[in-house]
Amino acid sequence: MLTLLKNTRLGLLTAAGLLLSSVARAQTLEANAPAKTAGMTEQEILFWGLLGLLGLLGVLLLVLLLVGITIVMQMKPQLRQLYDLPMVHNTWSGKMLGLLVGDATLVRGEYKDEILDHNYDGIHEFDNDLPPWWKYGFYFTIVFAFVYVGYYHLTTKGQLQVAEYETEMRQAALLVSAGADDPTKLTTYAALTTAADLSSGKSIFTTNCAPCHGQNAEGKVGPNLTDEFWLHGGEVNHVYKTIKFGVTSKGMVAWKGKLSGKQILQVTSYALSLQGSKPANAKPPQGEKEAVKAGGKPVAGL
């Protein structure tokens, strides 16, 4: 007996020693913790606080759900007796009560199992109700349709898809700089017509553009540039924009940063000067027909 008491006392002392050691270690870690958490911002503290609160609410709701299920299971015989009362059975609240005792009539509807006179190829039709969830869903779609038509088409307060797209494009344009490198802003240049500029444009075209568009702009991988059909606009500033920013989805590289603004306008003017030249082996037209327009402003600043 004495030996047992000694062993018990020794075990308690050992446990106490381990507990004190754990507490001391926790205090040491706590002392070092501020150096790590000192960098937490107010937003991070708020985030973790809200996350903890949501977790607590989730646990609370789960506990309430389990308690509710337990209460219903314990009271199921009494609830069944109440549900079987005639004054309760056919009411809306009675049907809700039926869900708790295992009667899904509120969801699936009534099964009358009465055969109608309809008979086709041996197939008989029963006079059963449609499921209430289906009927209420159908009624909701009718109400929704009237609200939708009234809001979007009669009062015109709601934006349709095209209006939403235009609004989003305007908002996106505000986020892009309005300088010379803004791809949404067209320039107002006029095509160059001097022999020196067109000669420089031809040299640039032969070196950089001919591999895709052909030596005479008849079109190879790229489209024919000598007809009146254009994929991205045939006016000088549209062609300038296409050359400068490219069309990545169609393999047209951006020449911004490789050619100066003056060089881009020179090759643009040269390409437009080939309109109607009708080279041999010209590629079939692509895009929309568009007459090339003159005009614009001088380009002395390039």
Side-chain angles (χ1 to χ4, degrees):
M1 184 68 177
L2 185 59
T3 304
L4 180 61
L5 290 174
K6 288 182 178 179
N7 292 335
T8 303
R9 184 180 178 184
L10 181 60
L12 290 174
L13 290 173
T14 304
L18 291 174
L19 180 61
L20 290 173
S21 175
S22 300
V23 171
R25 186 181 300 173
Q27 288 177 345
T28 303
L29 293 175
E30 228 175 78
N32 296 331
K36 183 179 180 180
T37 59
M40 289 184 65
T41 62
E42 293 182 0
Q43 289 81 0
E44 290 175 335
I45 296 173
L46 180 61
F47 170 77
W48 288 111
L50 290 176
L51 191 62
L53 181 61
L54 289 175
L56 182 62
L57 290 175
V59 173
L60 180 60
L61 290 175
L62 182 60
V63 171
L64 291 175
L65 179 62
L66 293 175
V67 171
I69 293 175
T70 304
I71 293 174
V72 170
M73 294 300 295
Q74 294 292 332
M75 296 183 60
K76 192 171 182 179
Q78 293 82 358
L79 294 175
R80 185 71 194 188
Q81 291 178 0
L82 179 63
Y83 177 65
D84 290 336
L85 294 176
M87 64 181 64
V88 176
H89 187 79
N90 294 322
T91 63
W92 177 263
S93 58
K95 292 179 180 179
M96 291 288 293
L97 182 61
L99 293 176
L100 299 178
V101 297
D103 187 352
T105 302
L106 181 63
V107 178
R108 61 175 173 78
E110 296 281 353
Y111 282 99
K112 301 177 183 178
D113 291 335
E114 296 178 2
I115 299 179
L116 299 177
D117 294 334
H118 304 164
N119 184 355
Y120 180 78
D121 197 20
I123 300 174
H124 298 277
E125 182 181 353
F126 287 87
D127 186 19
N128 291 326
D129 290 340
L130 288 169
W133 63 265
W134 190 96
K135 289 191 292 187
Y136 296 140
F138 180 66
Y139 299 151
F140 172 78
T141 59
I142 296 175
V143 175
F144 178 82
F146 278 104
V147 173
Y148 180 89
V149 171
Y151 183 72
Y152 285 97
H153 295 278
L154 298 181
T155 64
T156 64
K157 291 182 178 180
Q159 287 187 330
L160 296 177
Q161 290 180 336
V162 174
E164 284 184 353
Y165 171 77
E166 293 174 348
T167 300
E168 291 176 359
M169 292 301 294
R170 286 194 296 269
Q171 292 173 347
L174 296 176
L175 302 177
V176 182
S177 72
D181 287 333
D182 181 3
T184 64
K185 183 180 179 182
L186 279 178
T187 54
T188 55
Y189 298 139
L192 303 175
T193 56
T194 64
D197 287 323
L198 293 179
S199 177
S200 298
K202 180 179 180 180
S203 177
I204 297 170
F205 184 92
T206 302
T207 303
N208 301 291
C209 309
C212 289
H213 292 282
Q215 289 294 331
N216 299 308
E218 71 274 13
K220 289 184 176 180
V221 178
N224 177 8
L225 302 179
T226 65
D227 57 24
E228 297 178 321
F229 292 82
W230 297 87
L231 292 170
H232 307 287
E235 194 269 335
V236 58
N237 293 285
H238 285 95
V239 179
Y240 181 94
K241 174 184 174 181
T242 303
I243 296 174
K244 182 175 181 178
F245 297 106
V247 184
T248 307
S249 61
K250 296 184 179 179
M252 173 66 183
V253 300
W255 291 97
K256 180 183 69 171
K258 303 171 186 177
L259 299 176
S260 66
K262 178 75 173 184
Q263 290 175 318
I264 294 176
L265 187 57
Q266 286 173 337
V267 72
T268 297
S269 302
Y270 171 74
L272 293 177
S273 72
L274 299 176
Q275 284 286 293
S277 59
K278 298 180 180 180
N281 302 317
K283 193 174 181 179
Q286 294 175 276
E288 300 292 331
K289 186 174 182 180
E290 181 179 339
V292 177
K293 298 178 182 179
K297 70 177 184 179
V299 292
L302 288 176

